[in-house]
Amino acid sequence: MQSVITTKFETTEFAGLTTKIINPQESPFTVLDMTIKPGFGAPAHISEEEDKLFVLLEGQVKYLVGDQTEVAGPGSRILVPRGVVHGFTNGGPADARHILVSTPRRHEEFFRDLHRIPEPREQHMDMLPTIAARNGQRIVGPLP
């Protein structure tokens, strides 16, 4: 892992999510700072190879983990072991924000691939299953 102090971040955008990649250099984990627009989120999916920790910083977000769905507020921590169905939706009136830490490192590549879908992205959503599979993600349902 390389030592660095910086205020510059790579940012991706896709489907109401603006994601800052906090640690673009080599490390054993991914850290993402995600802003979620109202009504948007991540559909129910399974991360085949990653364990995840979400820390909600701002807003009210509905999280699905396994068969449990709960609306969480700032300060909430959501743990998701690999292989467990999970997803989230910002059901509030304003942007929400959470930090996502996942290990082993690779999840930032998923967001880079989503960001590369040609505009208008709505016309290319057929690319999503292939991108998800390439990045160890399997979409299994709608937004929670």
Side-chain angles (χ1 to χ4, degrees):
M1 192 159 125
Q2 177 185 2
S3 299
V4 65
I5 297 174
T6 184
T7 57
K8 296 179 181 170
F9 301 101
E10 178 183 354
T11 301
T12 68
E13 293 187 4
F14 179 79
L17 300 175
T18 301
T19 304
K20 281 191 219 176
I21 300 171
I22 300 301
N23 62 332
Q25 68 281 358
E26 287 296 316
S27 74
F29 48 82
T30 296
V31 181
L32 305 173
D33 182 341
M34 301 173 71
T35 300
I36 310 136
K37 293 190 179 308
F40 288 90
H45 65 286
I46 296 171
S47 299
E48 303 287 352
E49 302 168 2
E50 298 161 325
D51 297 312
K52 295 181 178 177
L53 165 67
F54 296 88
V55 180
L56 186 58
L57 302 176
E58 301 172 9
Q60 301 290 314
V61 175
K62 183 191 314 182
Y63 291 92
L64 164 70
V65 180
D67 59 2
Q68 180 182 2
T69 303
E70 187 172 327
V71 175
S76 298
R77 294 173 310 279
I78 299 85
L79 296 169
V80 184
R82 66 189 72 194
V84 173
V85 174
H86 61 286
F88 57 86
T89 303
N90 177 0
D95 287 355
R97 190 168 148 240
H98 64 208
I99 298 292
L100 168 58
V101 180
S102 64
T103 188
R105 180 189 180 85
R106 72 176 284 178
H107 204 52
E108 72 280 4
E109 294 305 328
F110 179 56
F111 286 90
R112 286 177 176 136
D113 284 353
L114 293 174
H115 185 75
R116 290 185 199 109
I117 293 175
E119 295 283 354
R121 291 187 177 122
E122 299 78 28
Q123 293 180 9
H124 300 283
M125 294 307 285
D126 59 317
M127 297 173 71
L128 190 54
T130 301
I131 289 171
R134 181 172 57 237
N135 287 280
Q137 310 295 314
R138 186 165 37 103
I139 299 168
V140 296
L143 291 172

